[in-house]
Amino acid sequence: MNLANSLTIFRILMAPVISILMIYKYWRLSLAVFVLAGITDALDGFVARSRAQGTDLGKILDPLADKLLLFATFMTLVYLHQIPQWLFIIAVSRDLIVVGGFLVIYIVKGKATVSVSWIGKCTTGLQMLTVLATIIARVAGGAGSYVLALSYLTAAVTIVSGLDYLRRGTMVLNS
């Protein structure tokens, strides 16, 4: 267990904490913990690269931490009627399709050779930004009108990303 992986595990543990804080309407504290989770995300990558601490475990844990954080916060924000249900459904459906695709490729080819795409990274970034903007709107005392517009943009990029992964996965399977 190295520092980079420890930071990632810490981020995983923050996901339920943020959700609990939001449920009890501790918006400022949930914002602080969410920002801390974002900082640990940046730090674990920096530490892994700068100290040559990249591991196979880290390659699995880092995207898992992102997905757990997003799943927990999206689900909580839907429960609290802060983001639309359709955004949660699109995000989770895309992730399930991508994971299912990786599993199919692994079963058929013996290894998962489809790498993370730039649009996949944009999707994760926009989803995180949507959560952050929603929490900031609550801290500011209302629902920011920009949150719905950001939700539409996030949904569109999430769909395009899912289609891109389907295309790339199909190419790998056909090769």
Side-chain angles (χ1 to χ4, degrees):
M1 184 62 60
N2 60 31
L3 178 58
N5 289 345
S6 297
L7 287 167
T8 302
I9 290 169
F10 182 58
R11 190 163 84 251
I12 289 170
L13 296 173
M14 282 189 266
V17 172
I18 295 166
S19 289
I20 291 166
L21 290 170
M22 287 191 294
I23 286 170
Y24 287 101
K25 311 273 192 275
Y26 293 111
W27 294 107
R28 289 187 198 301
L29 196 49
S30 65
L31 175 62
V33 177
F34 189 79
V35 168
L36 179 61
I39 291 168
T40 63
D41 188 17
L43 274 177
D44 70 14
F46 173 76
V47 168
R49 286 185 298 278
S50 68
R51 296 185 179 183
Q53 290 186 355
T55 64
D56 289 338
L57 177 63
K59 289 177 186 175
I60 294 168
L61 285 181
D62 187 61
L64 177 65
D66 289 341
K67 295 306 161 200
L68 288 173
L69 182 62
L70 284 168
F71 180 81
T73 54
F74 267 43
M75 186 172 60
T76 305
L77 290 170
V78 165
Y79 170 77
L80 295 172
H81 305 287
Q82 299 300 307
I83 61 170
Q85 291 176 350
W86 52 260
L87 179 59
F88 174 73
I89 292 166
I90 289 169
V92 170
S93 297
R94 177 240 182 223
D95 287 345
L96 290 174
I97 290 168
V98 169
V99 169
F102 277 116
L103 288 174
V104 168
I105 291 169
Y106 183 79
I107 290 167
V108 171
K109 295 287 188 175
K111 63 179 180 171
T113 56
V114 179
S115 60
V116 176
S117 69
W118 67 270
I119 195 154
K121 291 182 182 211
C122 287
T123 297
T124 300
L126 276 171
Q127 289 174 352
M128 294 285 188
L129 183 61
T130 300
V131 171
L132 181 63
T134 304
I135 297 172
I136 288 172
R138 294 303 306 163
V139 167
S145 58
Y146 57 89
V147 172
L148 186 58
L150 185 56
S151 294
Y152 282 114
L153 175 63
T154 300
V157 173
T158 300
I159 291 168
V160 170
S161 169
L163 293 172
D164 179 59
Y165 277 116
L166 279 173
R167 180 191 62 80
R168 292 171 66 217
T170 303
M171 289 172 50
V172 168
L173 287 172
N174 290 332
S175 65

